[in-house]
Amino acid sequence: MSEQADSCAVNTLVEIPGCDPVAGRVVWDPAHSLWNGGMLLATLVLAPLLFSWMAFAAFLLLTGTTLLLGHSVGFHRRLIHQSFNCPLWLERTLVWFGTLVGMSGPLWMIRTHDLRDWAQRQPACHDYLAHRQPMLIDGLWQLHCRLRLDRPPAFDLGRVGRDPFYRFLERTWMAQQAPLALLLYAIGGWGCVVWGICVRVCVSVSGHWFVGHLAHRRGPQTWLVKEAGVQAHDVPWAAVLTMGEAWHNNHHAFPGSARIGLYPGQSDWGYAFIRLLTRSGLAWNVRLPSAMPMRRETLSKAATATLPS
């Protein structure tokens, strides 16, 4: 995965002869299933018993912080799409926050994202990759299973895949909650632990799936990607909660852009944070749609639209 990667490419995936995004089967993923199921069980059983306003405040603060710094900016816009450059120490810090979200390790996140991204650009792909099944089935698949393609592509994670810190996070992504749990226990006891870890992870992981499901099923569209079998939709009500990630139609149109909320009124806290980093001298080479004029050749308008700046 080169630092000079194509701003709209699927940068880690390597198409090999015969690879196919359609043929495959959905199988149980015990590690993620037990993790997600355990967080849900703790949320349903323990969270109501251990509620306090301090615990709820810890939940809100940590959910917003990890989703903004970690998932949106660290994982998605920096590590996966390389939509801006920053010092390595800052990148690693943001990726650590992304690991704290509790979805998985950074290398798994890259492979999972890029497989789906590549598959959705093909004329056809498996229902798992398109979120095409009814909501309950899709939720079961995404939170408790994985897709085993008969003829999968290969991956080359480059510098990121060789990074010893990221490899460490990949092996210990569940255990990364432990230091935070100790701090929360010292501050507010078991209530803060349950709300700051279990409820936060459950809401973040389930919310990520739920918004992703909607973003490929229904909602406003400005752009259509030519020849892509799966098109994206915006989910306006979730824009603030997802730090701007819910403008998913914009993202499919300009996947390498650091700015996802492209039009007036489209909230994008992730891009606002990147702008803050830029003003502080901690981010540079920030990619925007105005630097992707050739991208228009792969798009058609689903509504009246102009190329955003």
Side-chain angles (χ1 to χ4, degrees):
M1 190 162 60
S2 165
E3 288 296 312
Q4 301 299 320
D6 180 347
S7 62
C8 294
V10 185
N11 291 309
T12 72
L13 187 140
V14 180
E15 292 193 54
I16 58 179
C19 65
D20 178 13
V22 178
R25 59 193 179 96
V26 178
V27 299
W28 184 49
D29 182 343
H32 288 90
S33 178
L34 294 174
W35 173 258
N36 293 334
M39 293 296 167
L40 175 61
L41 183 64
T43 297
L44 295 176
V45 175
L46 298 178
L49 300 176
L50 296 173
F51 175 83
S52 71
W53 289 111
M54 177 183 290
F56 185 66
F59 159 74
L60 291 179
L61 177 62
L62 288 170
T63 300
T65 301
T66 55
L67 288 178
L68 173 61
L69 303 184
H71 181 74
S72 180
V73 177
F75 272 176
H76 195 207
R77 306 192 205 203
R78 171 56 197 160
L79 206 61
I80 291 172
H81 287 290
Q82 301 178 44
S83 62
F84 68 97
N85 290 344
C86 67
L88 181 59
W89 67 263
L90 177 58
E91 178 190 277
R92 286 173 168 172
T93 301
L94 294 172
V95 170
W96 178 75
F97 274 104
T99 305
L100 274 188
V101 172
M103 293 183 194
S104 197
L107 308 186
W108 184 93
M109 293 291 292
I110 294 172
R111 292 189 189 97
T112 298
H113 175 283
D114 282 4
L115 177 64
R116 193 180 305 273
D117 192 356
W118 165 75
Q120 291 177 356
R121 299 185 193 195
Q122 309 307 310
C125 68
H126 194 281
D127 284 358
Y128 178 97
L129 299 168
H131 293 280
R132 197 174 287 121
Q133 288 292 318
M135 185 173 292
L136 291 179
I137 295 176
D138 190 55
L140 177 66
W141 279 7
Q142 305 297 333
L143 298 176
H144 297 279
C145 303
R146 60 187 174 88
L147 176 65
R148 183 175 292 164
L149 287 174
D150 294 341
R151 295 181 296 279
F155 291 89
D156 179 3
L157 273 62
R159 185 265 306 176
V160 172
R162 295 188 297 271
D163 189 298
F165 180 66
Y166 297 149
R167 294 171 72 90
F168 169 71
L169 291 182
E170 186 71 15
R171 294 192 304 270
T172 64
W173 66 273
M174 295 182 190
Q176 293 302 314
Q177 305 295 334
L180 179 59
L182 292 174
L183 176 61
L184 288 169
Y185 182 80
I187 293 172
W190 285 111
C192 279
V193 173
V194 169
W195 279 85
I197 302 294
C198 302
V199 179
R200 172 181 58 81
V201 170
C202 179
V203 169
S204 298
V205 174
S206 300
H208 178 266
W209 156 72
F210 181 60
V211 173
H213 177 84
L214 295 180
H216 296 96
R217 296 292 294 254
R218 60 182 69 90
Q221 289 179 307
T222 303
W223 301 96
L224 298 176
V225 180
K226 296 176 182 177
E227 300 182 0
V230 178
Q231 301 293 338
H233 304 260
D234 293 329
V235 189
W237 63 264
V240 173
L241 300 175
T242 61
M243 310 302 164
E245 300 288 332
W247 305 113
H248 204 60
N249 181 256
N250 294 343
H251 178 60
H252 270 225
F254 303 99
S257 175
R259 182 179 181 183
I260 300 177
L262 300 179
Y263 299 101
Q266 294 186 341
S267 170
D268 188 348
W269 288 18
Y271 179 60
F273 181 73
I274 293 172
R275 291 184 64 191
L276 178 63
L277 293 178
T278 303
R279 289 196 293 269
S280 304
L282 293 173
W284 57 92
N285 294 338
V286 178
R287 290 168 167 161
L288 298 173
S290 56
M292 308 174 194
M294 298 302 293
R295 182 67 178 160
R296 288 289 293 271
E297 297 180 1
T298 67
L299 303 174
S300 61
K301 294 180 182 179
T304 301
T306 58
L307 183 68
S309 60

